[in-house]
């Protein structure tokens, strides 16, 4: 299916407004049907902040799984604004146990957030913060993209220590809530803890589609509230720049870019193979079970898709039939017919 998503903008503009609320987007019904056929439980699409497509239930909190990771990137941008860190500082400035180890002491916070710090960890099986700090390196820092929970857990420990050093509560969840979620009016459903009782950084957050969309709108708006930056503007922009090892992954956000990375997680989305047909400014928060938050500033869109995760199928290595490109393309049907 060779269609460019940019036709979507024309389709949206062509829809007449009704007296009550905006008309549904072209392809809305088809997109909901496709989502539900692939275990979908919620779908919400906003254009300019207004609901243009929604499933019946967008108010029940659902686990985001690795969609949680993208909040870690936003936390880093908030911490940069607060003077707690810089993206290119060495993690060993905080993790004193890494000092004196030639490779570990060179790892930067940027590399942790881009999953290029050299740590390999099992997807879906996060250890506690300190055990993650001890994780062995299986690649030279910066040389290889290795998706997994360890880098996010390490970042959680770095934030804990930095906050405590400033005389503040070291709980990273509390910091994210205070600095980002509460100002955005986001209500948390739940947030699981790691084996040591600390809030999980790579997964564990449950949000309703309506709440996750608020984060999407914040990102679509450039990290600002009422025109005022809520996080460091430079760090925020760098969230959406890929690494040499994986151009399709920024600092906790997925990007529509072709990539040399061949890991199973990168290959689980087809936005990389359709990079030339998707808006260059699209960014995606993604989690297991095909949880998705698509943000397309040029089209003024925030799209939330949530689904029921089949843990047994995931453990068996079975991949479902979900296609990001197929889903996005369904929204173009009326424009291309």
């Amino acid at each position: 299916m060779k269609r460019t998503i940019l036709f979507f903008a024309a389709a949206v503009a062509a829809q007449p407004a009704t007296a009550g609320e905006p008309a549904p987007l072209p392809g809305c019904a088809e997109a909901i049907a496709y989502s539900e056929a692939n275990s979908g439980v919620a779908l919400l699409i906003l254009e300019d902040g207004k609901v243009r497509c929604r499933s019946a239930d967008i108010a029940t909190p659902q686990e985001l799984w690795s969609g949680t990771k993208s909040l870690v990137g936003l936390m880093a941008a908030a911490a940069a604004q607060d003077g707690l860190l810089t993206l290119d500082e060495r993690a060993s400035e905080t993790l004193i146990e890494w000092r004196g180890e030639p490779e570990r002491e060179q790892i930067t916070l940027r590399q942790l957030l881009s999953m290029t710090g050299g740590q390999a960890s099992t997807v879906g099986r996060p250890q506690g913060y300190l055990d993650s700090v001890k994780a062995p390196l299986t690649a030279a820092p910066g040389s290889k993209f290795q998706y997994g929970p360890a880098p996010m857990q390490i970042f959680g420990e770095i934030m804990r220590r930095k906050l405590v050093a400033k005389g503040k509560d070291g709980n990273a969840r509390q910091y994210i809530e205070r600095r980002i979620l509460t100002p955005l009016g986001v209500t948390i459903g739940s947030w699981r803890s790691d084996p040591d009782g600390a809030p999980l950084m790579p997964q564990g957050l449950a949000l309703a589609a309506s709440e996750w969309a608020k984060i999407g709108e914040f990102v679509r708006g450039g990290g600002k509230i009422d025109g005022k930056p809520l996080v460091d503007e430079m760090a925020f922009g760098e969230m959406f720049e890929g690494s040499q090892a994986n151009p399709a992954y920024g600092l906790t956000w997925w990007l529509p870019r072709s990539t040399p990375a061949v890991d199973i997680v990168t290959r689980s989305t087809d936005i990389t193979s359709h990079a030339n047909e998707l808006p260059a400014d699209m960014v995606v928060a993604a989690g297991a079970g095909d949880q998705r938050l698509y943000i397309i500033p040029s089209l003024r869109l925030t799209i939330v898709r949530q689904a029921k995760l089949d843990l047994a199928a995931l453990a068996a290595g079975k991949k479902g039939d979900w296609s990001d490109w197929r889903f996005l393309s369904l929204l173009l049907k009326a424009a291309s017919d």
Side-chain angles (χ1 to χ4, degrees):
M1 187 185 300
K2 298 291 185 181
R3 299 168 179 164
T4 169
I5 199 168
L6 292 176
F7 281 114
F8 187 30
V12 169
Q15 293 301 306
T18 64
E21 59 183 28
L25 290 175
C28 171
E30 292 88 344
I32 290 175
Y34 178 69
S35 178
E36 292 181 349
N38 287 276
S39 303
V41 295
L43 178 63
L44 174 62
I45 303 177
L46 306 181
E47 182 198 22
D48 280 333
K50 297 184 175 110
V51 176
R52 296 296 307 279
C53 181
R54 57 161 292 177
S55 57
D57 181 8
I58 59 171
T60 301
Q62 309 288 344
E63 170 88 49
L64 305 187
W65 298 99
S66 286
T68 307
K69 289 181 174 70
S70 295
L71 269 178
V72 178
L74 295 178
M75 174 175 66
Q81 187 185 63
D82 292 343
L84 291 172
L85 57 79
T86 65
L87 295 177
D88 289 314
E89 73 177 64
R90 295 178 182 179
S92 57
E93 292 179 26
T94 303
L95 302 176
I96 59 174
E97 56 267 58
W98 281 10
R99 297 175 190 173
E101 298 188 37
E103 285 194 315
R104 271 198 177 88
E105 68 179 2
Q106 300 300 318
I107 297 171
T108 66
L109 302 189
R110 184 187 300 275
Q111 289 170 337
L112 289 174
L113 293 170
S114 64
M115 305 281 190
T116 61
Q119 301 85 7
S121 51
T122 303
V123 174
R125 296 177 182 272
Q127 295 180 301
Y129 290 2
L130 292 179
D131 283 338
S132 298
V133 168
K134 297 174 185 176
L137 299 187
T138 58
S143 68
K144 185 178 181 181
F145 177 78
Q146 298 185 103
Y147 190 92
M152 299 298 102
Q153 291 289 81
I154 294 169
F155 201 87
E157 175 62 14
I158 290 171
M159 280 298 300
R160 187 193 70 78
R161 296 188 193 185
K162 284 181 175 292
L163 288 166
V164 169
K166 294 291 185 180
K168 300 182 183 297
D169 187 333
N171 187 296
R173 168 185 170 173
Q174 298 301 324
Y175 181 78
I176 291 172
E177 287 191 60
R178 177 174 62 83
R179 284 292 278 106
I180 299 170
L181 299 184
T182 297
L184 297 181
V186 174
T187 299
I188 290 176
S190 61
W191 196 323
R192 291 187 287 109
S193 298
D194 71 13
D196 298 327
L200 280 165
M201 294 291 97
Q203 61 188 60
L205 176 61
L207 292 177
S210 57
E211 302 303 307
W212 204 9
K214 294 175 184 177
I215 298 172
E217 284 292 281
F218 168 67
V219 171
R220 186 179 71 84
K224 300 177 181 179
I225 296 180
D226 297 326
K228 182 178 180 180
L230 186 63
V231 299
D232 182 83
E233 291 184 275
M234 182 174 293
F236 176 84
E238 292 177 9
M239 296 292 103
F240 315 113
E241 298 176 3
S243 66
Q244 184 174 356
N246 190 355
Y249 194 79
L251 306 185
T252 72
W253 291 84
W254 291 94
L255 313 168
R257 306 284 186 272
S258 59
T259 177
V262 295
D263 63 287
I264 189 171
V265 178
T266 302
R267 288 187 286 108
S268 69
T269 175
D270 53 7
I271 66 170
T272 58
S273 58
H274 291 277
N276 293 333
E277 299 158 280
L278 291 166
D281 65 342
M282 184 175 81
V283 299
V284 184
D290 304 312
Q291 323 302 326
R292 295 290 190 269
L293 172 61
Y294 308 93
I295 303 158
I296 312 176
S298 60
L299 299 184
R300 311 184 307 282
L301 295 175
T302 293
I303 304 170
V304 175
R305 189 266 174 170
Q306 296 176 304
K308 181 179 179 180
L309 174 62
D310 186 337
L311 288 170
L314 184 68
K318 296 179 180 178
K319 186 183 183 304
D321 295 327
W322 177 261
S323 162
D324 292 294
W325 170 247
R326 168 87 175 142
F327 170 71
L328 293 168
S329 295
L330 285 171
L331 300 172
L332 310 177
K333 185 176 181 181
S336 56
D337 284 348

